[in-house]
Amino acid sequence: MEKPPTLENWNRDKKNGRFLSTHGEGYLKTTVEYRTWISMRNRCLSPANKQYPNYGARGIKVCKRWDSYPNFLLDMGRRPSPNHSIDRIDNDGNYEPSNCRWATKKEQVDNRRVARWFIVNNKKITRLDLAKSLNMNPTTLDERLKKGWSMDRILNTPVRPKG
């Protein structure tokens, strides 16, 4: 199995130990995108990585095209803002151009495997967004769901003010 790149072993000059930079973003000029690429590959390829059970061990792979950092950067582009990080659209899918995007923390929370979604007025909405739209604490929504309330009853029963 191919050893995944790390900042310690990727593209090192064997003679003097310095890092080479075939793409202009080596060790001394590490970008967020480059660190993202390194981390993504380590999660999927290195059993020693603490996130491996959630990625590589689940069968999540990095496409062959992204064995090359320049191809990854060409496909993904630069991160739009410091609020964005890489996200797989289908959490059971691989890291590949058609399944990856730069996403905000909220977009990623909404896209987690454990996220709860509801259909309200023919729109898909997360548990947190539904509670917010009803001016309701999410735990109140959870309690109503546990009690077996219908969505109609949840939507039309006002929340009692605290105290």
Side-chain angles (χ1 to χ4, degrees), residues 35-87:
R35 287 191 310 269
T36 297
W37 179 74
I38 295 282
S39 297
M40 168 190 69
R41 294 179 55 78
N42 278 319
R43 287 190 297 271
C44 294
L45 299 170
S46 175
N49 186 285
K50 68 180 181 178
Q51 289 297 318
Y52 183 81
N54 295 317
Y55 294 87
R58 283 184 49 225
I60 306 300
K61 296 178 176 27
V62 178
C63 69
K64 283 281 184 208
R65 178 170 167 75
W66 285 0
D67 284 349
S68 158
Y69 171 72
N71 286 341
F72 169 78
L73 186 60
L74 185 66
D75 293 339
M76 288 297 295
R78 297 284 177 197
R79 179 174 73 154
S81 82
N83 298 326
H84 288 78
S85 57
I86 196 164
D87 182 45

Side-chain angles (χ1 to χ4, degrees), residues 108-124:
Q108 289 192 11
V109 166
D110 289 350
N111 195 33
R112 291 173 51 206
R113 284 184 284 160
V114 296
R116 290 190 64 190
W117 289 89
F118 300 94
I119 304 295
V120 178
N121 299 328
N122 294 321
K123 291 183 183 176
K124 190 175 173 184

Side-chain angles (χ1 to χ4, degrees), residues 118 127-145 149-160 162:
F118 300 94
R127 170 187 159 268
L128 293 175
D129 286 339
L130 175 60
K132 185 177 179 180
S133 73
L134 297 170
N135 201 21
M136 178 186 296
N137 187 309
T139 52
T140 302
L141 176 59
D142 293 341
E143 288 300 317
R144 290 180 176 189
L145 290 166
W149 287 30
S150 69
M151 188 54 66
D152 188 54
R153 185 174 177 198
I154 290 170
L155 294 172
N156 293 305
T157 303
V159 179
R160 283 184 270 155
K162 290 183 180 180

Side-chain angles (χ1 to χ4, degrees), residues 87-106:
D87 182 45
R88 283 174 297 117
I89 297 162
D90 171 3
N91 283 305
D92 293 321
N94 295 326
Y95 282 101
E96 57 194 9
S98 63
N99 193 42
C100 290
R101 64 182 176 173
W102 293 113
T104 63
K105 188 72 171 165
K106 182 184 182 330

